[in-house]
Amino acid sequence: MRLTKFEHSGLQLEADGRKLFVDPGNFTSPLTDTANAVAVVITHEHPDHWTPEQLKRVLDVSPEAKIFAPEGVARAASGFDVTVVHAGDTIAAEPFTLRFFGGRHAVIHESIPVVDNLGVLVNEQLYYAGDSFFVPAEVEVDLLAAPAGAPWMKISEAMDYVLAVKPKRSFPIHEMVLSRAGKDMANTRLQWATEQNGGRFFPLEPGDSLDL
């Protein structure tokens, strides 16, 4: 399985010639090579994690692709056929197996509603918690998508999250809200946290790929 990182929250997983997209939002460049997509996973309803335009770019080329998301996304994306998933669900979208965790977005501020949010574990290898620090219990994470910057976090929280998950490998995500200097700083901190448990950090930039 190969991971390709896009800008911000967008990911592509490819295995056996088929693709899975995760959280292509409005900070992610328009998706182009969407042939052979079997599914799109959306962790929550905020527009930096999905847009109607990005979903259409997938479905126009791969109309059989399924959309998996929590209830809040199904309400927000009412014009699409969304399969609602919940924490604890395991879904097969061959060649991908998806396990879902968590349930709620991290708190941004008491004035801002907390929305549904699900983390996803793909093929028991890649874990991405969406906009949360939910640690999947009793899961040995091969590759962790570690948040680098967001209105709902500070870097010490992301470091503690990586220390709790203990991934073998990690890379930064949710970084388009940062300057170049901010990305470099976050990468240094996330690398330190990953290495404390013997893991390796990969400072992936948009367009970079990594084999799992």
Side-chain angles (χ1 to χ4, degrees):
M1 183 170 69
R2 169 165 285 195
L3 162 79
T4 299
K5 175 184 162 42
F6 298 144
E7 296 91 349
H8 200 58
S9 56
L11 302 175
Q12 174 187 284
L13 285 303
E14 187 167 7
D16 298 335
R18 287 172 283 182
K19 297 170 187 170
L20 166 71
F21 292 98
V22 180
D23 277 7
N26 61 6
F27 293 165
T28 301
S29 294
L31 300 178
T32 54
D33 187 6
T34 58
N36 301 314
V38 296
V40 180
V41 171
I42 303 171
T43 62
H44 65 282
E45 65 198 71
H46 292 159
D48 58 326
H49 292 256
W50 84 281
T51 68
E53 294 78 12
Q54 295 282 40
L55 289 183
K56 289 174 183 176
R57 291 181 182 108
V58 176
L59 297 174
D60 284 350
V61 179
S62 299
E64 301 303 315
K66 304 294 185 183
I67 302 170
F68 299 108
E71 293 179 3
V73 173
R75 291 191 295 269
S78 58
F80 296 90
D81 183 10
V82 176
T83 298
V84 173
V85 289
H86 303 89
D89 287 351
T90 299
I91 300 291
E94 295 296 340
F96 305 101
T97 299
L98 312 172
R99 291 175 61 193
F100 294 94
F101 296 84
R104 304 296 281 170
H105 193 287
V107 174
I108 302 171
H109 186 263
E110 62 181 11
S111 66
I112 299 173
V114 177
V115 300
D116 296 334
N117 178 94
L118 288 175
V120 62
L121 179 68
V122 182
N123 286 1
E124 300 296 315
Q125 295 176 293
L126 167 71
Y127 181 62
Y128 169 46
D131 282 8
S132 81
F133 292 121
F134 189 88
V135 177
E138 300 179 1
V139 173
E140 292 187 4
V141 174
D142 180 7
L143 181 62
L144 175 68
W152 46 270
M153 60 160 275
K154 55 185 178 180
I155 196 63
S156 63
E157 294 171 320
M159 294 166 70
D160 286 340
Y161 170 63
V162 174
L163 291 169
V165 176
K166 301 181 177 66
K168 296 178 182 177
R169 297 181 286 177
S170 71
F171 69 97
I173 198 168
H174 214 282
E175 83 292 6
M176 294 302 286
V177 295
L178 300 177
S179 66
R180 180 69 262 171
K183 291 179 185 181
D184 292 342
M185 182 197 70
N187 284 348
T188 298
R189 301 292 182 255
L190 295 174
Q191 177 177 348
W192 177 89
T194 304
E195 291 176 348
Q196 298 314 294
N197 289 295
R200 184 178 176 189
F201 179 75
F202 292 82
L204 299 184
E205 293 288 336
D208 288 349
S209 296
L210 191 63
D211 289 326
L212 284 78

